[in-house]
Amino acid sequence: EYNIVRPKGYTVSYHATDEMEKHHFGQTHPMKPWRLTLTKSLVTSYGMPFAMDNYNTRHATYEELNAFHSSDYLDYLATAAPEDQPRDQDSEKEPKFNLGGSDCPLFHGLYDYCSMSAGTSLDAARKICNKQSDIAIAWGGGLHHAKKSEASGFCYINDIVLAILQLLRLYPRVLYIDIDVHHGDGVEEAFYSTDRVMTVSFHKYHPETFFPGTGGLEDNGPKSEHNPGAHHAINIPLNDGITDEQYENLFKTVIGSVNERFRPSAIALQCGADSLAGDRLGRFNLRVQGHGACVRYCKSLGVPMILFGGGGYTPRNVARAWAYETSIAIGAEASIPSTIPEHAPWRSHFIHDTLFPTLSQSLSEPRNNRNTEKRLREIVAHVNEQLRFVQH
Ligand code: TV1
Ligand code: CA
Ligand code: ZN
């Protein structure tokens, strides 16, 4: 009814499962898998599924997870029960693999949840490798902090690393871009020593007070000249309150230069929505339009791409951003009305009936912008210096 048509000669696939969304991290935990339900419902009420290939995802197998994660860790993840949660009283019970603390709780169905998140991203990667999709969407993935043998920051299984490992079987060079408000440390670390993956993370950076505290401007990969991974980690450390205009300019400048120099054969884009204004954990002033502009720019580079989810702690805004970005992927942004459809389930949950709330609709109090133009110019200059060492 909204004139959403399948793009000609261009395929977008959407990978999701209702099963993932039923899991709970705990009453007060900021990560709400239910935001995926809200996203899917908004995507559907706009009629977007007609323009995509829709796949119900499966669980990733133990062997698939084992391509990055250690067996020790996976065995514990598969068997640990919520009852094993270390309590404050019995402090002799150390948390194993960083599991069971407040950030990464042990909850019922945890292993199912993790293997489904990885399943969506692996299915997306396979569709790209088989040339069956030009853009594959996995909003249930994007869990960029997970390490080989450790859970971290709400992330247990690094579905992005697993998906990039699949892409590397076919594509010589993969560009990883991360617009979550947090540093993509797990993905950066996994590909730290290779020149086949370049990682670029934009994030709030304040080592003492903001998680995970890594990702400074000068952190660009191994310092040794003989290590191929040198200069292949790019970090864009930002301060509170960055605006759409500044972010978009910075993003296009940095990714434009990276693209020219690195010439990626595929892109993996983590679209964490906690960089939006009004996020419960975020600090930026981005609007849905500014966040989406990053996706549009990456699409314009004309190489196959996976879109991953990630953070995002104000569910109504997560759904807005990811629904808008789905419309960008299928080239239907101009065909969808900015008013949330009358028949959309959960319509009242969005509070304002627009896909594009203003800053004052998203924030009770404006957040001061602590990013100076001078600092942003320094960042660009440093990135360009790093890229001079990248040869292809
Ligand atoms: C339970 C209940 C857990 C309420 C966690 C915010 C909670 C946080 C909670 C929280 C919270 C973090 C740290 C401190 C490290 C800890 C998906 C020394 C109101 C990709 C992960 C952020 C972001 C982790 C994940 C961070 C992602 N912030 N309330 N926890 N310790 N952890 O700072 O990048 O978005 O906050
Ligand atoms: Ca980031
Ligand atoms: Zn985040």
Side-chain angles (χ1 to χ4, degrees):
E1 62 182 300
Y2 292 115
N3 201 25
I4 307 279
V5 293
R6 201 166 259 274
K8 285 229 162 54
Y10 197 84
T11 308
V12 176
S13 55
Y14 193 97
H15 305 266
T17 162
D18 303 339
E19 295 300 304
M20 209 182 144
E21 309 157 12
K22 295 178 184 149
H23 294 85
H24 298 276
F25 281 61
Q27 274 282 300
T28 58
H29 197 288
M31 179 56 96
K32 309 279 183 209
W34 174 76
R35 70 211 172 114
L36 298 168
T37 311
L38 200 60
T39 302
K40 185 67 185 287
S41 118
L42 196 52
V43 164
T44 304
S45 63
Y46 274 116
M48 292 190 244
F50 295 115
M52 307 187 282
D53 288 346
N54 305 284
Y55 296 97
N56 226 324
T57 35
R58 60 192 178 85
H59 295 248
T61 65
Y62 181 96
E63 287 67 32
E64 287 175 316
L65 304 180
N66 207 196
F68 175 56
H69 294 284
S70 70
S71 305
D72 282 4
Y73 175 57
L74 292 176
D75 292 343
Y76 189 71
L77 191 66
T79 54
E83 300 79 64
D84 299 342
Q85 198 104 252
R87 299 195 193 282
D88 298 338
Q89 303 95 286
D90 51 325
S91 50
E92 72 274 17
K93 219 174 178 181
E94 275 285 300
K96 290 196 186 99
F97 307 106
N98 197 29
L99 287 167
S102 62
D103 275 357
C104 303
L106 293 167
F107 55 83
H108 285 287
L110 172 62
Y111 190 82
D112 276 344
Y113 167 84
C114 294
S115 54
M116 277 188 277
S117 163
T120 62
S121 300
L122 281 168
D123 279 355
R126 298 235 168 82
K127 285 289 154 195
I128 296 290
C129 287
N130 297 341
K131 317 271 185 186
Q132 288 176 317
S133 302
D134 296 283
I135 299 183
I137 299 175
W139 298 135
L143 305 179
H144 59 178
H145 299 305
K147 310 284 158 39
K148 180 182 166 144
S149 297
E150 201 183 287
S152 172
F154 319 164
C155 305
Y156 304 81
I157 292 291
N158 203 315
D159 60 286
I160 305 171
V161 170
L162 296 172
I164 293 176
L165 288 172
Q166 285 300 314
L167 295 178
L168 288 173
R169 296 163 74 143
L170 192 76
Y171 297 98
R173 289 179 303 283
V174 176
L175 173 58
Y176 173 67
I177 307 170
D178 184 318
I179 61 172
D180 189 290
V181 77
H182 299 97
H183 177 222
D185 57 351
V187 183
E188 178 184 276
E189 185 184 293
F191 300 110
Y192 209 56
S193 307
T194 175
D195 57 1
R196 292 185 61 200
V197 179
M198 179 172 278
T199 62
V200 185
S201 175
F202 297 76
H203 45 267
K204 151 87 183 168
Y205 180 65
H206 196 273
E208 294 80 36
T209 63
F210 198 73
F211 187 85
T214 49
L217 186 61
E218 312 278 334
D219 302 335
N220 299 111
K223 293 292 176 203
S224 150
E225 289 298 316
H226 306 290
N227 196 314
H231 316 292
H232 283 70
I234 304 283
N235 283 298
I236 312 293
L238 301 166
N239 289 317
D240 286 5
I242 194 165
T243 63
D244 271 6
E245 199 197 3
Q246 285 180 322
Y247 197 93
E248 238 188 279
N249 272 328
L250 189 63
F251 187 88
K252 289 178 180 168
T253 308
V254 167
I255 299 303
S257 306
V258 165
N259 180 54
E260 252 176 51
R261 206 68 197 178
F262 183 63
R263 291 272 158 224
S265 27
I267 294 177
L269 175 58
Q270 197 267 21
C271 302
D274 48 6
S275 42
L276 293 170
D279 187 82
R280 184 174 160 199
L281 299 189
R283 307 289 186 88
F284 293 167
N285 279 347
L286 297 190
R287 292 175 306 161
V288 170
Q289 294 96 317
H291 201 268
C294 301
V295 176
R296 188 181 315 114
Y297 185 73
C298 290
K299 184 185 176 189
S300 78
L301 300 177
V303 295
M305 174 161 75
I306 303 178
L307 300 180
F308 300 95
Y313 307 102
T314 301
R316 59 181 182 277
N317 291 339
V318 177
R320 283 183 169 102
W322 292 349
Y324 180 55
E325 288 159 12
T326 303
S327 81
I328 292 172
I330 59 182
E333 349 163 31
S335 315
I336 61 163
S338 60
T339 304
I340 290 175
E342 291 288 345
H343 61 276
W346 311 105
R347 193 170 192 262
S348 61
H349 185 83
F350 289 92
I351 306 178
H352 303 282
D353 67 1
T354 173
L355 199 52
F356 308 111
T358 60
L359 283 187
S360 52
Q361 284 172 334
S362 295
L363 291 157
S364 42
E365 262 181 83
R367 192 181 286 283
N368 286 332
N369 182 3
R370 306 270 181 221
N371 299 273
T372 64
E373 294 302 322
K374 177 169 174 281
R375 177 61 179 160
L376 299 181
R377 279 196 300 273
E378 281 169 15
I379 291 173
V380 169
H382 176 87
V383 170
N384 287 330
E385 247 169 68
Q386 286 304 307
L387 291 175
R388 282 173 44 216
F389 297 101
V390 173
Q391 219 62 255
H392 269 114

